[in-house]
Amino acid sequence: MLIRTADDIKPSEITPEHVYRSRRRFMREALALTGAGVALPAAALPGAWLDERSVLPGAPLDETMTSESDATSYNNFYEFGTDKGDPAAHAHEMTIDPWTVEVSGEVAKPGKIGLEDMLVGIDLEERIYRLRCVEAWSMVIPWIGFPVKKILDKFEPTGNAKYVMFETLHRPSEMRGQRSLFSSIDWPYVEGLRLDEANHPLAIFAVGMYGNLLPKQNGAPIRLVVPWKYGFKSIKSIVSIRLTETRPVNTWNDLQPREYGFYANVNPTVDHPRWSQARERRFPTTLFRPNWIPTRMFNGYDEVAELYTGMDLSRYY
Ligand SMILES: Nc1nc2c(c(=O)[nH]1)N[C@H]1C(S)=C(S)[C@@H](COP(=O)(O)O)O[C@H]1N2
Ligand SMILES: [Mo]
């Protein structure tokens, strides 16, 4: 089981040392944030962030974890440029405190809420997931986060809600890619999921990785992680969540509809028009040792298959 409550965890399997250490480090970071004189809303950081037991260990994955330095220096975050090194070089220009998220559309309780207030009462879990980019490289990353469903439920989706749309921050003054005259993206970056996909227990919002708060280049302070879909679905630095009745637009589908779909489930049998999706370069990867491995259906997360029964996944790519 990937999802476990504290009660499920036997003392014998409690917290491999690296998780324990990273948990301590994470809490130090969280504390450092409050101590830094940052203005926080009344509720300040949720107690869960500061509680020793709050980051529940995830199920281990029997694959080599990508190094933290690779995962934080080889990124896609076009708001800061299109080169893999641009996000790490320029994302520091984005300010993230305070951070508010607007929840709107088909919900009984719409509203704009400070991130810290939104997270009150939500337990954090470590989830070690594969991340498979549509460009055919992949990583294994230990996220810290919680199921998307936990946030959506707080705002009470109505019976009309069928999809969820997410939007990244739009702030050209701090995001040089949004100022670029050469960008073909219609900002802000937007993504969407069917509501039942968003409610699947594997779909999480991440607020940390490698035991620390999320680095800006990885989508601080809150991003989506949907491990069975190509990486572009996992939208970063989210400021808006909108429940809708009709299917929302998503940025890459809007740009190149033949190449990038709405579903974007990892699928080794449906090739990208310009390259095969049957294999991927798993980090660490170099020119001379690319480390190709076979790509797995749903990125190896077979438990999501039931979301797509009866659908032709070569048509709904
Ligand atoms: N807002 C925003 N989110 C984004 C992107 C982006 O350019 N802008 N790139 C996506 C792509 S293509 C990938 S592969 C992942 C990469 O996440 P990582 O840099 O944390 O590995 O972020 C996704 N989320
Ligand atoms: Mo990607």
Side-chain angles (χ1 to χ4, degrees):
M1 270 280 280
L2 269 165
I3 320 299
R4 306 195 291 180
T5 63
D7 294 338
D8 293 335
I9 302 163
K10 294 191 222 75
S12 60
E13 57 178 345
I14 270 189
T15 321
E17 199 204 359
H18 82 276
V19 176
Y20 182 72
R21 268 194 285 113
S22 63
R23 179 196 297 163
R24 299 288 298 269
R25 222 164 106 210
F26 183 71
M27 290 192 310
R28 270 209 307 280
E29 293 278 320
L31 284 162
L33 187 74
T34 45
V38 176
L40 291 171
L45 284 172
W49 284 36
L50 309 175
D51 178 352
E52 271 277 344
R53 290 160 303 174
S54 63
V55 182
L56 300 173
L61 190 62
D62 190 21
E63 287 168 51
T64 308
M65 202 125 70
T66 301
S67 71
E68 185 174 359
S69 70
D70 278 346
T72 58
S73 63
Y74 186 95
N75 301 101
N76 277 330
F77 199 167
Y78 276 35
E79 283 82 345
F80 298 103
T82 55
D83 288 345
K84 296 294 187 256
D86 282 340
H90 304 301
H92 68 89
E93 290 163 13
M94 166 174 69
T95 53
I96 59 171
D97 323 298
W99 191 269
T100 51
V101 178
E102 178 161 25
V103 183
S104 62
E106 290 293 341
V107 283
K109 299 180 170 172
K112 234 180 159 165
I113 184 169
L115 178 62
E116 296 82 4
D117 290 329
M118 192 167 88
L119 299 186
V120 167
I122 288 181
D123 288 333
L124 300 177
E125 304 166 39
E126 180 162 82
R127 298 281 185 97
I128 304 172
Y129 281 162
R130 301 178 200 97
L131 174 81
R132 177 28 165 110
C133 177
V134 75
E135 299 162 337
W137 52 264
S138 66
M139 298 188 180
V140 174
I141 298 178
W143 303 104
I144 291 171
F146 50 87
V148 171
K149 183 178 188 332
K150 290 202 175 173
I151 293 286
L152 298 185
D153 285 352
K154 280 194 174 189
F155 294 86
E156 300 179 13
T158 72
N160 294 331
K162 298 280 178 299
Y163 296 90
V164 195
M165 176 183 175
F166 307 90
E167 260 181 47
T168 295
L169 178 68
H170 185 221
R171 193 182 286 157
S173 62
E174 297 181 0
M175 297 173 126
R176 60 178 60 210
Q178 292 179 341
R179 300 197 292 271
S180 165
L181 300 175
F182 305 104
S183 173
S184 43
I185 291 179
D186 184 13
W187 307 106
Y189 193 102
V190 288
E191 258 305 337
L193 296 171
R194 252 176 21 204
L195 183 57
D196 60 337
E197 296 178 312
N199 281 337
H200 192 281
L202 286 179
I204 60 167
F205 283 122
V207 294
M209 66 195 283
Y210 297 91
N212 291 311
L213 292 176
L214 217 52
K216 290 180 178 179
Q217 62 266 38
N218 294 90
I222 183 166
R223 58 122 15 117
L224 192 66
V225 181
V226 197
W228 70 94
K229 293 176 178 283
Y230 292 120
F232 68 81
K233 299 296 290 183
S234 292
I235 181 174
K236 297 176 169 180
S237 304
I238 295 169
V239 293
S240 159
I241 301 171
R242 186 173 179 81
L243 283 285
T244 63
E245 202 168 351
T246 54
R247 201 176 91 177
V249 175
N250 59 308
T251 291
W252 282 98
N253 177 243
D254 186 43
L255 269 177
Q256 299 281 0
R258 273 189 9 84
E259 302 189 359
Y260 310 102
F262 172 77
Y263 283 94
N265 292 315
V266 175
N267 189 339
T269 70
V270 177
D271 286 337
H272 185 277
R274 292 183 279 128
W275 59 83
S276 164
Q277 292 294 27
R279 57 181 201 156
E280 65 202 49
R281 287 182 298 119
R282 168 65 55 85
F283 274 78
T285 167
T286 65
L287 193 57
F288 299 107
R289 199 177 161 281
N291 198 26
W292 289 106
I293 61 169
T295 289
R296 296 157 68 183
M297 187 65 207
F298 300 122
N299 205 20
Y301 299 99
D302 302 325
E303 58 265 59
V304 302
E306 63 186 28
L307 292 169
Y308 311 104
T309 37
M311 278 176 71
D312 176 356
L313 294 180
S314 62
R315 175 156 177 236
Y316 297 103
Y317 56 91

